[in-house]
Amino acid sequence: MGQGAAISKTDHAERALAIFAMCPHQLGGIWIRARASPATDRVVLWLKHALDQVRRVAPTIQDQDLFGGFDLGLALSSGTITPSQGILDRPGTLLMPMAERCPRRLAALLGAAIDDGTHAVVALDEGASAEELPPFGLTERLGLFLDVSHLHTLEPTVSKAELEAAQNRLKTVHIGPDALTELVVAASQLGISYARPPLKAVEIAKAHAAL
């Protein structure tokens, strides 16, 4: 991405999206807060183009759709049992609209998939008030938070070829032990007592350097 003399809020948002697209599984996901709008529609289209294996997950999804199973009616009519794959059987990125309506149980299941390193989650938070939020059990695992509700125009311009080039550069980016120590100390001073936030911060810093 080009470096300008001044970086606008839109530039920051586009850079955050590019960082996520570079290493979605390492970051766990991205929490995007905004009501449905043409800008968020463009973001979703860009993410689907930039990422491989993006699947939509509704807050009302059933366990059989998540984990797979058997269609009892089909088995009885055909006399054969054919298992079906669930969404979580295939690694990729899960796109959840209306994430503020996500039940805690589903958040825990998605959190486990994130922890396994097999899935990342794009949580589209369309909550109308400050109290309408996705469950903490999900959002604490998402490495980036992006509030685009104040942006009237947002259209990411980073191409897939540029992302792939940045991903190749990312392989050569390393964080020194002193920087890791400083991150852990800063997290502790902010009252963050667990390892996930500083580890996500390391991945974000590396990806930012590779851009």
Side-chain angles (χ1 to χ4, degrees), residues 52-63:
D52 295 323
Q53 303 297 325
V54 178
R55 300 181 184 89
R56 188 181 181 91
V57 175
T60 55
I61 191 169
Q62 302 299 305
D63 282 1

Side-chain angles (χ1 to χ4, degrees), residues 38-181:
T40 53
D41 289 343
R42 286 192 290 271
V43 167
V44 169
L45 286 174
W46 183 84
L47 287 171
K48 288 180 177 179
H49 174 73
L51 298 169
D52 295 323
Q53 303 297 325
V54 178
R55 300 181 184 89
R56 188 181 181 91
V57 175
T60 55
I61 191 169
Q62 302 299 305
D63 282 1
Q64 183 168 332
D65 295 319
L66 277 177
F67 302 109
F70 302 96
D71 187 325
L72 182 59
L74 180 61
L76 291 174
S77 63
S78 65
T80 60
I81 297 178
T82 304
S84 61
Q85 272 197 327
I87 287 177
L88 294 182
D89 289 328
R90 295 163 289 176
T93 300
L94 306 177
L95 177 70
M96 177 181 284
M98 296 184 293
E100 75 281 0
R101 301 185 184 182
C102 177
R104 290 184 180 180
R105 180 176 181 276
L106 176 57
L109 295 173
L110 296 179
I114 292 171
D115 291 345
D116 287 342
T118 56
H119 293 80
V121 172
V122 177
L124 299 176
D125 174 5
E126 302 172 32
S129 68
E131 290 74 31
E132 289 184 283
L133 299 172
F136 178 73
L138 175 62
T139 58
E140 69 155 339
R141 288 173 165 82
L142 309 183
L144 287 165
F145 170 74
L146 185 59
D147 186 346
V148 298
S149 57
H150 58 287
L151 298 180
H152 300 294
T153 60
L154 179 60
E155 190 162 1
T157 57
V158 180
S159 69
K160 194 158 188 175
E162 289 173 322
L163 285 175
E164 290 172 352
Q167 287 169 329
N168 287 329
R169 292 192 295 270
L170 180 58
K171 298 173 185 176
T172 67
V173 178
H174 303 283
I175 299 291
D178 290 344
L180 291 175
T181 300

